[in-house]
Amino acid sequence: MLKAAGAAAGAAGVGAGVGTTALASPAFAAGSAFAHPGLLHTRTDLDRMAAKVKAGARPYTAGFAKLTANRHAQSGWRANPQATVYRGAGSPQNYAVLYNDIHAAYQNALRYHVSGETAHADTAVEILNAWSGKLTSVQGSADRFLAAGLYGYQFANAAELVRDHGDFALGRAQELMRNVFHPVSDGFLRDHNGAVITNYWPNWDLTAIACVLATGIFCDDRAVVDRAVEYFKHGDGMGSVKHAIPVVHDDGLAEWVEAGRDQGHALLGVGLMGTVCEMAWNQGIDLYGYDDNRFLKGAQYVAKWSLGGDVPYTANTREKGAINGWSGSESATEAAGVDPAMTRPIWAMIANHYTKRRGLSASYVTRAAAKAAPEGGGGDYGPNSGGYDQLGFGTLAFTRDKATDPAAPAPASSPAASGARPQGAGATPSVVASPASGRDLAATGSEEVVGWAAAAGVTAVAGGLLLLRRRGRVRPGGAE
């Protein structure tokens, strides 16, 4: 009863709280063919970036200047493809070659869509074709799973931006995703490298989910997309949403379990989960709003904590080790210390979704986004692999106007894992409005740029009208 009442109050409260603003729904009508481009960026997103930069609009111009200044975004970048990529101790590690080339392809492709300069599209195509023509395997220690997940989802995103280029080897790129990146990531979600289910922190699962989802979309494979969505919602590993964010508090914050590890990995996890949510959204699947906006509450928690605020943390113990092999355990009792200066280019995408598309309050996330702006990308955050975990440039790519559509229908429930539009009253409660017929709601709804609030303290979701519930903690074996 409380859940139903909370959903009803939330839907009414959001409508009242944002005046005439209609809440956006996922950009594409799921159940039909996939939208392309449709991973992190839709056609509407790309057109918006180009129009805003051409008009000299801020902060798009600052974001574009960040892109053009990056050494990876220069036309003429020469790829150095390898037949086998290795990551991890005990192997001849060469994975830096791959992530540098992928980021060069992505940045050149993005620069092309904003500026129209074909030399950048040609460069992106040359890089991607070189790798799809040579790479046959990802190897190494357990870190090979990280390599396949991270560079798999990134390769797909770069390729998605040039999939219609006349010289791009689309079929070969799809085969690379299906036969090289995807099997490693999907295999990890199945058996976790032979380890007990809680051995690996959430980031390991999240890299794999991102790769599997990107593969399904890029290769037009509904079953693969459904696999990723189902794992996000109900997977046994630490990266599924209720294990990564195990405790929801009444103040609008939800504990990110990896905050008990360290700040860098917690930020990585938020960025990866946001990436998964954005790619799904652009195919009509609302993971952002799943379980009463659970991801928003977790992101708010990490943002507050990373900005130096005090946050609660529920002690938990994870079982570690191999099945039928060595065993042990590890306990986390409090949130780790933070460096308020540490950042990753992850916040603009999340803040813009919740505040602009959905009209919800996200005070800590928006403060973190403002502090990080203008966001850069690979090459702007140090030379090591951590600086290349996200594609970045969110200030340019994800800044959007506040969505308004007075003709939009009344709120409906979240899409199911299959991507079908919700029907009836049995779906998970959420506060999402259906799109007007034929409209791409990845678009900005108006030309009004609404500044983000940077107020201190907790601001409840939608004026506090969504009821929050406290979940149990993570226990040994991954159960809540």
Side-chain angles (χ1 to χ4, degrees), residues 34 212-213 216 221-232 285 416-420:
F34 287 90
V212 171
L213 180 62
D221 192 324
R222 174 65 62 185
V224 173
V225 169
D226 288 348
R227 160 80 165 136
V229 171
E230 174 63 18
Y231 197 97
F232 176 94
I285 305 166
S418 65

Side-chain angles (χ1 to χ4, degrees), residues 107-125:
Q107 290 179 28
N108 270 280
L110 189 63
R111 185 169 178 177
Y112 158 70
H113 280 286
V114 177
S115 71
E117 298 171 273
T118 58
H120 294 290
D122 294 342
T123 294
V125 167

Side-chain angles (χ1 to χ4, degrees), residues 99-427:
Y99 67 66
N100 274 281
D101 278 358
I102 289 175
H103 281 257
Y106 172 78
Q107 290 179 28
N108 270 280
L110 189 63
R111 185 169 178 177
Y112 158 70
H113 280 286
V114 177
S115 71
E117 298 171 273
T118 58
H120 294 290
D122 294 342
T123 294
V125 167
E126 289 169 5
I127 296 168
L128 297 167
N129 283 350
W131 278 94
S132 69
K134 189 164 186 178
L135 181 63
T136 59
S137 108
V138 177
Q139 300 291 337
S141 67
D143 284 3
R144 69 188 182 278
F145 297 110
L146 299 176
L150 289 167
Y151 313 137
Y153 95 76
Q154 292 174 0
F155 183 94
N157 269 277
E160 184 77 354
L161 293 178
V162 294
R163 67 182 294 138
D164 294 329
H165 191 287
D167 294 329
F168 179 55
L170 174 61
R172 203 168 70 196
Q174 290 173 324
E175 288 302 304
L176 178 64
M177 290 301 302
R178 289 191 189 101
N179 298 333
V180 178
F181 293 118
H182 175 263
V184 180
S185 291
D186 190 59
F188 183 81
L189 294 180
R190 286 198 313 271
D191 62 26
H192 290 84
N193 198 30
V196 297
I197 198 67
T198 55
N199 184 75
Y200 291 98
W201 285 101
N203 287 305
W204 293 78
D205 271 358
L206 288 167
T207 61
I209 295 169
C211 179
V212 171
L213 180 62
T215 300
I217 296 169
F218 182 63
C219 298
D220 295 299
D221 192 324
R222 174 65 62 185
V224 173
V225 169
D226 288 348
R227 160 80 165 136
V229 171
E230 174 63 18
Y231 197 97
F232 176 94
K233 293 181 176 181
H234 305 298
D236 291 332
M238 295 284 286
S240 61
V241 66
K242 293 181 183 179
H243 292 145
I245 310 172
V247 180
V248 176
H249 294 283
D250 292 340
D251 63 1
L253 299 181
E255 296 177 20
W256 192 269
V257 70
E258 209 150 356
R261 182 186 184 189
D262 61 57
Q263 182 185 9
H265 286 97
L267 291 171
L268 170 60
V270 170
L272 288 169
M273 190 171 285
T275 294
V276 169
C277 290
E278 184 69 18
M279 293 191 297
W281 175 273
N282 286 332
Q283 297 300 330
I285 305 166
D286 187 9
L287 299 182
Y288 275 120
Y290 178 69
D291 195 26
D292 295 337
N293 299 295
R294 195 182 191 101
F295 175 53
L296 169 60
K297 298 162 192 173
Q300 281 276 85
Y301 174 98
V302 173
K304 178 183 180 182
W305 168 63
S306 290
L307 290 166
D310 293 329
V311 293
Y313 190 84
T314 303
N316 63 83
T317 298
R318 298 183 305 116
E319 296 297 323
K320 299 175 63 178
I323 297 173
N324 299 321
W326 71 277
S327 62
S329 64
E330 181 179 30
S331 296
T333 59
E334 61 183 357
V338 299
D339 174 4
M342 181 184 292
T343 190
R344 286 176 180 255
I346 63 175
W347 296 113
M349 177 175 62
I350 301 166
N352 274 279
H353 173 79
Y354 286 112
T355 66
K356 301 299 179 65
R357 279 180 177 150
R358 296 290 305 281
L360 302 179
S361 175
S363 59
Y364 295 115
V365 168
T366 55
R367 285 175 59 190
K371 185 175 181 179
E375 289 180 353
D380 291 320
Y381 297 89
N384 298 324
S385 61
Y388 294 81
D389 289 340
Q390 282 84 34
L391 290 168
F393 300 104
T395 305
L396 168 66
F398 301 111
T399 299
R400 56 185 76 246
D401 300 332
K402 197 168 186 179
T404 58
D405 185 4
S413 299
S414 298
S418 65
R421 287 210 176 278
Q423 301 292 330

